[in-house]
Amino acid sequence: MYQVIARKYRPQSFDELIGQEHVRTTLSNAIARNRIAHGYIFAGQRGTGKTTIARIMALCLNCVEGPTATPCGKCSSCLEVAQGNAPDVIEIDAASNRGINEMRELRENVRYRPSRDRYKVFIVDEAHQITNEAFNALLKTLEEPPEWAVFILCTTESHKIPTTIASRCQQFSFRSVEFADVVSRMEFICREEGIAAEPEALAVLAQAGEGSVRDSLSALDQAIACCGASLTGEAVRDLLGMYSLESLSRIAHALEAESTAEMLEIVAELERSGKNFQHFCRELARYFRNLTVAKIACADGKPTRLIAAGDIEQSHLREIAAKFTEEDLTRWLQLAIDIYGQLQYSLQPRLHLELGLLRLVHAGRLKPIEDALRELQASEKPRVGAPAQFTARSAPAPYPAARPVAAPSYGRLPAAPAPVAPAPVGGTLRDKLAALLEQKTARMALDALRNSELVETPGGVEFVTTKQHAMGLRGADFEKVVAQAAGRPVKVTITLTEGSGASGSPGASASCPQADAASERALASPEVQHFQKLFPDSKVRGVRDLKE
Ligand SMILES: Nc1ncnc2c1ncn2[C@@H]1O[C@H](COP(=O)(O)OP(=O)(O)OP(=O)(O)O)[C@@H](O)[C@H]1O
Ligand SMILES: [Mg+2]
Ligand SMILES: [Zn+2]
């Protein structure tokens, strides 16, 4: 009878396993020292060896030469466990036996001594599916287990195991198995089976499993069924609907050339060859993920274990990653994930994909905000009086503590002396306005002005202030004075801010001194000032001190 590869090659000993070193060592030490617990939880990704190790445990415990970490594999006990018909190794699939009755039965069963072997081993697969009542029944057993009972609960969702149960068990987490280990396991199996497989074919199969050995072996089965005894990378990729690096590299080329036309051509070609767009997007996201990792983790030009790909593929990835910045790659990865998500619900996947790919090109043209700031800083150099050797690359400018009081002309008037740097637009109008109000001895308005943020808009002037000070700005001829100061007719608008944060006057007892200091610092900081120059229409609406 034909047996699928995954089952035929289920490891029968700790040595035969790949990955899960931490589980193997701990368990074999425990067995060697005869410190065997009554309850174990094996938790983790599907197809990574939970049931397999549970069975190996059963072998170890019940081998006639045991308990031993290296069972003989020949005695009747070992043979029966391997065949799955040992009387004292009871496997329960909780997916179909999840109720209270099954657990009661199990509780009964536990009370009787093993019929022949040393231990009664209960392997409960998919343990998270057990119902609550059934867990309670199981709990009683775990609280006072007979000396011969060993429970191994296997689950992909350990958080669903009640803590009352978990705290009575030793828990092991099973990790996804590394790419290279899966490849070498498949090499071994192919040798045994007389299959000639290109390294690239195995790489594709290992990638497809995403760390699950069973998934990779099932894909191998499928590939053999489809292609026979010789597997090429291309055939396997076609079978699994995976994309070659070359085909994905076309995207990278289009991005490098900033060619939207090329992107549209790629989509057209996918459609012509009947490819699944969603699948393509998933591969694309994985591709950008790998490029990003290659950029970050492979600065030394060596392959990394963080990428599930062979050496040749990795060097290819590194080459491409070198052409782009980390920011670009990260942004594209984010976009690729978004496109993938959108496609799932899209009735017009082609449009979505086209739009998405065009966006990738546009996103690549965005200049990082840091660069814009840096350039500004560089051009500002002489004015802020920074030392000559201060270059644009030497990180963001320090906070103004070490500098002469730079003029925070937003939010309020500088308390003497006049600013060193030429005051920005708002300042000029403010100065003129202040002078005019001074002339008219309009105290209230002057005070209100000091406590307002002043924003010039195309059609007028906006005063952002608190309710308390707004009154001072509502005087009958205030608008005229502003127009006079501005030298043109203007419309005055008053916008109220909440609280006193950005507008408390130094003398006003009501204002909060911390908020005041914070806004002063924030407004004086070179970053904020640069932003305000970059975006002249922007306003600072409020400042919050995150330490508070
Ligand atoms: N660590 C491993 N080393 C070698 N082969 C493995 C390993 N993990 C899984 N396999 C292969 O995959 C098959 C399935 O593994 P197993 O039944 O132990 O997975 P599992 O973790 O119990 O998965 P599930 O959560 O789906 O029950 C095994 O028969 C074996 O061929
Ligand atoms: Mg299992
Ligand atoms: Zn044995």
Side-chain angles (χ1 to χ4, degrees):
M1 197 189 84
Y2 175 72
Q3 207 181 7
V4 297
I5 286 176
R7 289 185 57 192
K8 184 167 171 191
Y9 290 92
R10 193 192 279 284
Q12 299 294 330
S13 69
F14 284 123
D15 287 343
E16 217 184 312
L17 286 161
I18 52 174
Q20 322 305 0
E21 286 82 2
H22 59 299
V23 184
R24 283 195 253 169
T25 343
T26 315
L27 287 179
S28 36
N29 284 344
I31 294 164
R33 298 199 188 111
N34 214 353
R35 299 180 68 86
I36 292 138
H38 288 290
Y40 292 96
I41 292 175
F42 290 175
Q45 205 195 330
R46 61 178 201 281
T48 52
K50 297 181 295 294
T51 307
T52 304
I53 294 189
R55 290 202 187 153
I56 295 177
M57 272 292 275
L59 285 174
C60 294
L61 295 176
N62 283 344
C63 174
V64 283
E65 291 172 13
T68 166
T70 50
C72 74
K74 290 183 213 102
C75 68
S76 53
S77 176
C78 282
L79 290 173
E80 281 172 11
V81 174
Q83 284 153 14
N85 50 20
D88 294 317
V89 178
I90 298 108
E91 285 198 40
I92 302 154
D93 177 15
S96 43
N97 305 288
R98 52 204 295 265
I100 181 104
N101 289 335
E102 283 82 5
M103 284 304 139
R104 287 219 183 96
E105 219 170 275
L106 190 143
R107 241 165 80 192
E108 283 301 295
N109 192 337
V110 175
R111 288 169 42 207
Y112 303 109
R113 293 190 156 271
S115 56
R116 178 193 61 200
D117 300 331
R118 229 167 279 118
Y119 287 94
K120 262 193 170 169
V121 183
F122 297 86
I123 301 175
V124 186
D125 252 321
E126 315 293 330
H128 58 272
Q129 301 244 26
I130 297 174
T131 61
N132 273 341
E133 297 88 354
F135 265 129
N136 280 336
L138 181 62
L139 188 61
K140 301 240 163 62
T141 319
L142 278 173
E143 273 167 344
E144 285 167 36
E147 61 197 277
W148 53 79
V150 174
F151 284 88
I152 304 177
L153 310 183
C154 302
T155 176
T156 46
E157 296 172 56
S158 61
H159 59 277
K160 290 194 183 156
I161 308 270
T163 42
T164 44
I165 301 271
S167 68
R168 285 175 174 80
C169 297
Q170 283 184 18
Q171 187 156 339
F172 291 90
S173 10
F174 282 60
R175 308 190 180 132
S176 53
V177 178
E178 301 234 339
F179 174 81
D181 290 337
V182 178
V183 169
S184 68
R185 178 75 180 163
M186 283 193 292
E187 277 167 359
F188 165 79
I189 293 175
C190 285
R191 264 199 309 277
E192 294 284 304
E193 294 283 309
I195 305 285
E198 283 181 8
E200 208 190 330
L202 296 186
V204 172
L205 291 167
Q207 267 161 19
E210 295 186 328
S212 159
V213 189
R214 188 203 292 109
D215 288 3
S216 286
L217 295 186
S218 304
L220 175 61
D221 250 326
Q222 199 186 339
I224 296 170
C226 165
C227 315
S230 107
L231 306 180
T232 65
E234 202 184 336
V236 172
R237 216 171 2 237
D238 272 356
L239 175 71
L240 301 178
M242 311 258 290
Y243 292 81
S244 68
L245 257 192
E246 289 94 83
S247 69
L248 291 167
S249 310
R250 257 189 93 180
I251 297 276
H253 289 143
L255 287 171
E256 198 188 354
E258 299 189 6
S259 165
T260 41
E262 172 80 2
M263 289 297 189
L264 295 181
E265 188 47 44
I266 293 174
V267 180
E269 220 169 282
L270 286 172
E271 176 128 303
R272 269 200 295 280
S273 51
K275 293 272 165 54
N276 177 322
F277 290 150
Q278 207 170 315
H279 209 131
F280 175 78
C281 282
R282 209 191 60 193
E283 292 291 301
L284 188 65
R286 201 213 305 259
Y287 179 62
F288 281 124
R289 183 265 175 200
N290 285 346
L291 286 175
T292 311
V293 174
K295 181 88 193 173
I296 296 170
C298 307
D300 55 356
K302 291 196 195 106
T304 170
R305 296 194 317 173
L306 298 176
I307 298 177
D311 289 0
I312 299 172
E313 243 183 271
Q314 288 213 23
S315 80
H316 195 80
L317 285 167
R318 282 197 302 275
E319 239 168 67
I320 293 177
K323 296 180 181 169
F324 303 109
T325 64
E326 188 183 321
E327 288 84 3
D328 276 340
L329 293 171
T330 320
R331 210 176 307 135
W332 289 329
L333 169 59
Q334 176 67 60
L335 282 171
I337 292 170
D338 291 349
I339 306 172
Y340 176 63
Q342 286 160 5
L343 273 191
Q344 283 181 304
Y345 304 102
S346 174
L347 295 175
Q348 292 180 304
R350 178 173 178 164
L351 292 189
H352 258 110
L353 182 57
E354 284 176 338
L355 176 65
L357 294 186
L358 296 184
R359 278 213 186 116
L360 289 181
V361 177
H362 296 151
R365 291 186 185 138
L366 287 180
K367 185 196 258 188
I369 192 82
E370 293 83 358
D371 285 358
L373 287 176
R374 243 181 251 137
E375 277 164 24
L376 249 158
Q377 246 165 355
S379 66
E380 286 277 291
K381 235 185 337 190
R383 282 209 277 161
V384 295
Q389 68 271 27
F390 184 87
T391 65
R393 305 199 94 243
S394 67
Y399 263 64
R403 254 200 251 172
V405 188
S409 356
Y410 293 84
R412 73 158 92 119
L413 276 179
V420 190
V425 204
T428 321
L429 175 63
R430 180 191 283 280
D431 289 347
K432 285 192 200 147
L433 185 55
L436 280 172
L437 293 172
E438 202 107 69
Q439 265 174 31
K440 297 180 191 289
T441 54
R443 287 245 177 80
M444 238 173 90
L446 200 56
D447 188 42
L449 175 65
R450 289 208 173 105
N451 290 288
S452 310
E453 181 191 328
L454 189 152
V455 185
E456 281 191 83
T457 56
V461 181
E462 184 185 358
F463 292 81
V464 184
T465 189
T466 58
K467 204 169 164 188
Q468 178 200 346
H469 291 107
M471 283 206 331
L473 304 175
R474 292 212 172 100
D477 54 9
F478 184 68
E479 192 166 286
K480 279 188 211 140
V481 185
V482 179
Q484 200 185 337
R488 63 190 165 99
V490 290
K491 188 172 166 7
V492 167
T493 47
I494 297 168
T495 309
L496 297 185
T497 56
E498 292 157 37
S500 58
S503 49
S505 85
S509 54
S511 76
C512 155
Q514 277 113 355
D516 234 28
S519 68
E520 190 166 334
R521 253 184 301 132
L523 291 170
S525 88
E527 285 83 357
V528 173
Q529 294 192 349
H530 285 319
F531 256 99
Q532 288 182 322
K533 277 177 203 145
L534 265 185
F535 306 103
D537 290 338
S538 67
K539 301 170 202 159
V540 177
R541 281 300 171 101
V543 173
R544 211 155 37 121
D545 194 339
L546 294 179
K547 276 178 295 189
E548 282 165 22

